[in-house]
Amino acid sequence: MKLVYVTSSLPHGPLEAFVLPEVAALERLGHEVWIVPMWPRGELVHADAEPFRERTLSEPLLSPAVLASGAREVRPAPLARMLRARPRTVAKNLLVHPKALWLARVLRKLQPDHVHAHWISASATLAMVASERARLPWSVTAHRWDIREANLLREKARSACFVRTISEAGARELRQRVGIAGWDPVVLRMGVQLPAATASPREGGELRLLTPANLLPVKGHRYLFEALGDLDRVTLDVAGEGPLRADLEERARGLAVRFLGAMSHTDVLSGLADGRWDAVVLPSAPTPEGDREGVPVSLVEAMAAGVPVLSTECGAIPELVTGDSGLLVAPADAGALRGAIEQLRDPDLRRTLSVAGRRRVQRDFDVDRIAAQLADRFATC
């Protein structure tokens, strides 16, 4: 099949790296994947995005070509639908509408078999309008915050061939927000590539931790920093960027914390495979605005590499970290995090978590198996 993936900005910038293994797996199955970033901002940060450069249509959001397409093809009825969205999302939908009209023209020339969007927000608005105009089947993957944003959810549920969520928690919330009797999303996880081998846990020495997460309130970095205050011989690498950097750097004063910035996806994966870190810690916590975690791919990748994980009972994380596949504590609890980190000093425990975590990913998060299931759904639309 020839497929078009509509993203937010991938392959540009540091975000959405978790989509790359899925695209690569689809291509290994013999499918041809084109990528259309809604807003192509930033350089290609991730080395594993390079193979898709030639089939990426990186037209700026409001380029002359986009605006010209909008002027030629705009029609009142589809535009009116954009105005029925919730007030805070109307502007987003109007902003992407010209590019949707541009994309419709591109799709008619490219003639793909299916269009798939990631995020049931503005990028799905772009995919929906373009696919309808080009008379092509389309689908969308809903993640986390985009469900809560509630941008034309019912309209997208009716228009799409299927809507995928990556967690049971996301499926429940989306089902409730869509509110169509008998309608159900498809739960299909975001998968990862399983490394051929894993590093063996080290004996003794300082405990080396990694937190691979954007610097956002829902990631809960401040609780981890508070936990580290009373611990000796523990170092933490923080991989990610975001609006909280200045605040978190201030909180980390005096701690053995290094801010690595936005790391290439391949660099993170190679560090995990090489045993650069003894454990991955994701101290996520719900925010007052209602943000919660989905199923963090950073944890899935660590478990696949045999690196023990410590996280919290936030959002859909307990759907991933089950049994002895990792350690879970209550969210927003620095004391609980501190106690769990102390447990991770035990190399025997880390060895147990390593084996069980990788087994958990092999069973339910193998990207090749998931991509095959996704391709079957594309083919039957």
Side-chain angles (χ1 to χ4, degrees):
M1 286 183 292
K2 183 185 291 187
L3 305 171
V4 170
Y5 259 51
V6 178
T7 65
S8 177
S9 62
L10 189 84
H12 299 270
L15 305 179
E16 299 179 284
F18 52 83
V19 178
L20 291 169
E22 182 170 288
V23 173
L26 287 166
E27 295 223 323
R28 284 195 297 273
L29 290 170
H31 306 297
E32 179 182 313
V33 184
W34 291 72
I35 300 177
V36 179
M38 176 186 69
W39 183 12
R41 54 201 186 275
E43 300 298 320
L44 267 69
V45 174
H46 306 293
D48 45 352
E50 189 63 37
F52 310 113
R53 182 191 290 269
E54 291 186 0
R55 287 203 297 274
T56 296
L57 304 177
S58 297
E59 189 70 29
L61 184 59
L62 293 174
S63 71
V66 165
L67 295 177
S69 289
R72 284 193 296 267
E73 297 212 13
V74 69
R75 297 175 189 170
L79 197 57
R81 180 172 56 175
M82 301 298 101
L83 301 176
R84 293 201 296 270
R86 299 174 71 178
R88 66 172 182 253
T89 61
V90 166
K92 287 185 177 183
N93 292 334
L94 292 177
L95 191 62
V96 303
H97 194 72
K99 186 158 184 177
L101 302 180
W102 166 85
L103 181 56
R105 295 171 64 88
V106 170
L107 293 176
R108 292 187 198 111
K109 294 178 182 177
L110 193 60
Q111 295 187 330
D113 299 290
H114 192 89
V115 177
H116 186 74
H118 271 273
W119 312 103
I120 196 165
S121 53
S123 54
T125 303
L126 170 62
M128 175 176 68
V129 173
S131 299
E132 289 176 349
R133 293 292 290 267
R135 299 187 178 183
L136 290 169
W138 77 284
S139 55
V140 57
T141 294
H143 291 265
R144 184 186 70 249
W145 62 265
D146 49 327
I147 298 175
R148 190 170 64 86
E149 185 184 66
N151 184 345
L152 295 175
L153 294 182
R154 185 172 295 185
E155 288 82 354
K156 289 166 183 172
R158 285 177 171 147
S159 173
C161 174
F162 68 91
V163 178
R164 166 202 190 187
T165 62
I166 62 170
S167 69
E168 296 288 352
R172 288 192 296 271
E173 181 179 358
L174 186 59
R175 191 181 297 114
Q176 180 181 20
R177 288 182 178 273
V178 167
I180 298 175
W183 179 86
D184 280 305
V186 175
V187 178
L188 195 56
R189 309 294 188 179
M190 289 300 301
V192 301
Q193 185 73 40
L194 289 161
T198 60
S200 300
R202 297 180 310 124
E203 299 283 345
E206 67 182 12
L207 190 64
R208 305 168 306 180
L209 307 177
L210 169 70
T211 296
N214 293 320
L215 310 183
L216 303 170
V218 72
K219 300 303 181 181
H221 292 82
R222 66 189 185 100
Y223 302 108
L224 178 56
F225 292 178
E226 185 180 339
L228 294 177
D230 297 329
L231 295 175
D232 296 324
R233 302 178 70 208
V234 178
T235 64
L236 172 67
D237 285 345
V238 176
E241 279 293 353
L244 295 184
R245 174 143 188 173
D247 174 70
L248 292 175
E249 286 179 331
E250 182 64 29
R251 291 176 183 271
R253 286 186 183 276
L255 301 176
V257 175
R258 293 192 307 165
F259 289 85
L260 305 180
M263 288 183 67
S264 165
H265 186 229
T266 50
D267 289 344
V268 173
L269 293 180
S270 64
L272 292 170
D274 294 342
R276 181 174 169 184
W277 302 285
D278 299 309
V280 165
V281 183
L282 191 63
S284 305
T287 69
E289 296 77 23
D291 285 339
R292 295 176 181 271
E293 283 285 8
V295 178
V297 176
S298 59
L299 292 181
V300 183
E301 289 174 336
M303 294 163 70
V307 177
V309 299
L310 162 61
S311 193
T312 66
E313 297 163 338
C314 176
I317 292 175
E319 294 183 29
L320 167 66
V321 183
T322 59
D324 60 354
S325 65
L327 299 180
L328 283 183
V329 299
D333 189 335
L337 283 168
R338 186 182 305 116
I341 292 170
E342 288 283 15
Q343 289 181 262
L344 287 171
R345 294 186 191 273
D346 180 357
D348 289 333
L349 174 62
R350 296 204 306 273
R351 193 171 293 109
T352 297
L353 296 175
S354 170
V355 172
R358 182 173 167 88
R359 188 182 301 125
R360 173 80 181 95
V361 173
Q362 285 176 318
R363 186 172 69 245
D364 291 324
F365 293 87
D366 181 348
V367 72
D368 289 312
R369 181 180 55 79
I370 290 170
Q373 294 176 346
L374 195 57
D376 286 344
R377 289 195 172 272
F378 292 158
T380 56
C381 279

